[in-house]
Amino acid sequence: MNKPARSLGQRIIWAFVILALLCASLFSFFNVVFVYTVEDQFFRHQLMDEEKYQLQQPHLSAPQSPAIQIYLQTKDLPADLLQALEPATQRTEYSGLDGRHYHLRRVVHPAAKEPVWLVAEVSQQLVVRPIRDEMFLFYGISTLVMLLLAAALGFVLARRATRPLTQLAELVQNDQLSPGFSKVFPANEIGVLAEALEQNWQRVQAFIAREQAFSRDASHELRTPLAVIQSSCELLLAQMSTQAWPAEQQQRLEQIQHSSRQMNQLISTLLAMSREQHLGKMESIKLAALLEQLVLNLSPLLDGKHIELELQVEPDLQLQLNPVLLQMVLTNLLQNAFLHGAPGTVHISADSLGLVISNPLQAEDAPTELTALFAKGRQSSGYGLGLGIVQRLCQQTGLELQLNRSEQQLIVRLIWPQL
């Protein structure tokens, strides 16, 4: 199992850092807005006080503050202010040249024919702008300190919170579960999870033990009568070779012997599938020798059939697979080809990529029966008993089984696992 790209502890630390960054950014933003607003309100109230003072006078008089000037017409305004002025808006603050900064207010005075302008050049009275760089530097340093504190706090909390969960994940990942493993975890949500996992694990272990015991007992009970049947068939066939027995009886005995061999092979396959601890043993296998031996063992299936066999396998081809399971898979595939193939030629070829078995089919077989039944994981009585078992074996050993069916031919491809 691959380690996740970002663990739960890292997610907790990042959550703390992002939250601290958002809080620091919002605090800095609101603080900047606040100090600029307070400063602007100070100058605005200065102009409002000057407006009240001028309205109390019968004629326009000198302003109370030397920073405030009165302009009777718009054209009289300073050039840099006049260039940036937007009379049609409610804007009251403008930046001029050479660092000058203006606040203005339009006043209607009874002694003037037109509204006059109260203009305050406040560049020497600004408080925020001279310390703006230092203020931003302070905000940056404080934000960095907050991020480091948040990361440290998140690391401590994540370590305490996720340590039991990490231990539990390692136990599951390394398959080191043992009875009573849940008692070492704290009495919280992780402890509840570990206890539930232990209960389910014990149930699975008990089920596996019962399944293995049943498979062992069932295989023993089935093999005993099968051994009796096989030995009896061999004894009767040996007697038939020395005595004149009817051909029909000899054929029936051969069918019984063949069926008993198939059943014995099926029992061995099912027993091996139920014991997954034996599936991981890999050995170097010479495929040509194995196929020749299997074809020789299954040659009685071709008796009385007009079937020719063409085998094309590289002599030095070797595979790293479980020999028992590979033999079971190949035996089932060859049995299907020999038993259910029509008269003609069965082609068997193999290379470093996979194995291909091509055999003709009976004309009366339904073209889609095999594909439909195999896709659903069921057995097809018309194509052999072992296809579903072969599929299970292939899934456990990493092999890939592909079936291509035409009206007159079945092509089975067995692709080796790519190491």
Side-chain angles (χ1 to χ4, degrees):
M1 183 182 298
N2 296 329
K3 187 177 180 180
R6 183 177 297 175
S7 64
L8 182 59
Q10 291 177 342
R11 293 178 182 272
I12 294 176
I13 295 175
W14 277 108
F16 272 80
V17 171
I18 293 174
L19 180 61
L21 179 61
L22 290 176
C23 292
S25 300
L26 287 176
F27 172 78
S28 301
F29 172 75
F30 289 137
N31 194 29
V32 170
V33 172
F34 173 76
V35 295
Y36 271 103
T37 302
V38 170
E39 187 179 56
D40 290 342
Q41 288 296 322
F42 172 76
F43 297 128
R44 179 172 176 269
H45 282 88
Q46 270 191 336
L47 292 175
M48 292 176 61
D49 292 341
E50 183 64 29
E51 178 184 7
K52 293 180 180 178
Y53 172 75
Q54 295 294 336
L55 291 177
Q56 291 175 358
Q57 306 301 321
H59 301 283
L60 292 172
S61 59
Q64 302 179 86
S65 173
I68 300 176
Q69 299 293 329
I70 300 177
Y71 296 93
L72 300 179
Q73 297 180 359
T74 304
K75 63 180 182 178
D76 299 331
L77 293 174
D80 52 353
L81 174 60
L82 184 61
Q83 185 178 1
L85 183 64
E86 299 176 359
T89 64
Q90 300 294 326
R91 183 178 175 183
T92 61
E93 181 180 0
Y94 294 91
S95 295
L97 300 177
D98 299 328
R100 288 189 290 271
H101 197 77
Y102 298 98
H103 281 261
L104 55 93
R105 186 177 183 83
R106 202 169 187 181
V107 178
V108 178
H109 195 278
K113 298 180 179 180
E114 297 180 356
V116 298
W117 293 96
L118 296 178
V119 178
E121 201 285 305
V122 296
S123 58
Q124 301 300 322
Q125 303 179 29
L126 293 177
V127 177
V128 178
R129 187 166 64 176
I131 63 171
R132 181 175 55 191
D133 295 339
E134 291 79 0
M135 183 176 62
F136 287 156
L137 179 61
F138 173 77
Y139 289 160
I141 295 176
S142 61
T143 300
L144 180 59
V145 172
M146 289 299 298
L147 293 181
L148 294 176
L149 292 176
L153 180 61
F155 176 77
V156 173
L157 293 180
R159 187 176 179 85
R160 291 182 180 179
T162 61
R163 182 184 299 174
L165 187 60
T166 302
Q167 294 176 352
L168 180 60
E170 290 178 352
L171 288 177
V172 176
Q173 183 176 3
N174 299 327
D175 196 15
Q176 297 178 350
L177 302 180
S178 59
F181 72 89
S182 63
K183 296 180 181 179
V184 300
F185 293 96
N188 52 21
E189 291 82 357
I190 299 178
V192 174
L193 175 62
E195 185 177 358
L197 182 61
E198 180 181 3
Q199 293 176 357
N200 292 330
W201 175 77
Q202 291 178 347
R203 290 176 58 187
V204 171
Q205 294 299 314
F207 173 77
I208 293 175
R210 291 194 303 268
E211 186 70 17
Q212 291 179 345
F214 172 78
S215 301
R216 182 176 59 252
D217 296 340
S219 63
H220 174 73
E221 295 299 330
L222 290 174
R223 282 178 175 176
T224 300
L226 284 176
V228 174
I229 294 174
Q230 288 182 357
S231 61
S232 299
C233 289
E234 292 175 358
L235 180 60
L236 290 176
L237 289 174
Q239 293 179 359
M240 287 183 180
S241 62
T242 60
Q243 300 177 9
W245 285 55
E248 181 179 357
Q249 294 183 3
Q250 184 176 0
Q251 183 180 2
R252 293 293 177 84
L253 282 175
E254 290 176 352
Q255 291 177 352
I256 294 174
Q257 186 184 36
H258 173 67
S259 297
S260 63
R261 289 176 180 174
Q262 278 190 316
M263 185 61 69
N264 195 10
Q265 179 67 27
L266 178 61
I267 293 172
S268 300
T269 304
L270 294 175
L271 185 61
M273 291 173 60
S274 65
R275 297 176 178 177
E276 296 185 358
Q277 63 272 20
H278 301 296
L279 299 182
K281 298 179 180 179
M282 301 293 182
E283 296 181 9
S284 180
I285 306 170
K286 290 186 177 181
L287 186 61
L290 178 59
L291 285 174
E292 291 175 357
Q293 182 63 39
L294 293 178
V295 169
L296 183 61
N297 295 339
L298 299 175
S299 58
L301 300 179
L302 301 177
D303 294 343
K305 295 186 176 181
H306 301 285
I307 294 179
E308 297 181 359
L309 186 61
E310 181 178 345
L311 185 61
Q312 297 178 351
V313 183
E314 299 176 4
D316 56 346
L317 179 59
Q318 293 187 358
L319 303 174
Q320 289 292 330
L321 290 171
N322 182 277
V324 177
L325 296 183
L326 179 61
Q327 182 176 351
M328 292 178 184
V329 171
L330 296 178
T331 299
N332 278 276
L333 294 179
L334 293 175
Q335 282 181 349
N336 289 329
F338 294 167
L339 286 175
H340 308 289
T345 302
V346 177
H347 298 274
I348 303 175
S349 62
D351 54 20
S352 59
L353 298 179
L355 173 76
V356 178
I357 300 178
S358 176
N359 63 279
L361 294 177
Q362 302 291 341
E364 63 271 12
D365 289 337
T368 59
E369 180 183 0
L370 175 63
T371 304
L373 292 178
F374 186 77
K376 295 179 181 179
R378 299 186 297 181
Q379 307 298 333
S380 170
S381 59
Y383 294 95
L385 182 62
L387 282 177
I389 298 175
V390 170
Q391 186 185 28
R392 288 277 306 277
L393 291 174
C394 290
Q395 291 174 351
Q396 293 178 355
T397 55
L399 298 171
E400 181 180 353
L401 184 63
Q402 297 179 355
L403 301 175
N404 295 323
R405 168 67 195 264
S406 62
E407 294 183 358
Q408 298 180 352
Q409 192 176 39
L410 173 66
I411 300 177
V412 179
R413 288 183 174 86
L414 190 64
I415 302 176
W416 315 128
Q418 301 298 322
L419 301 179

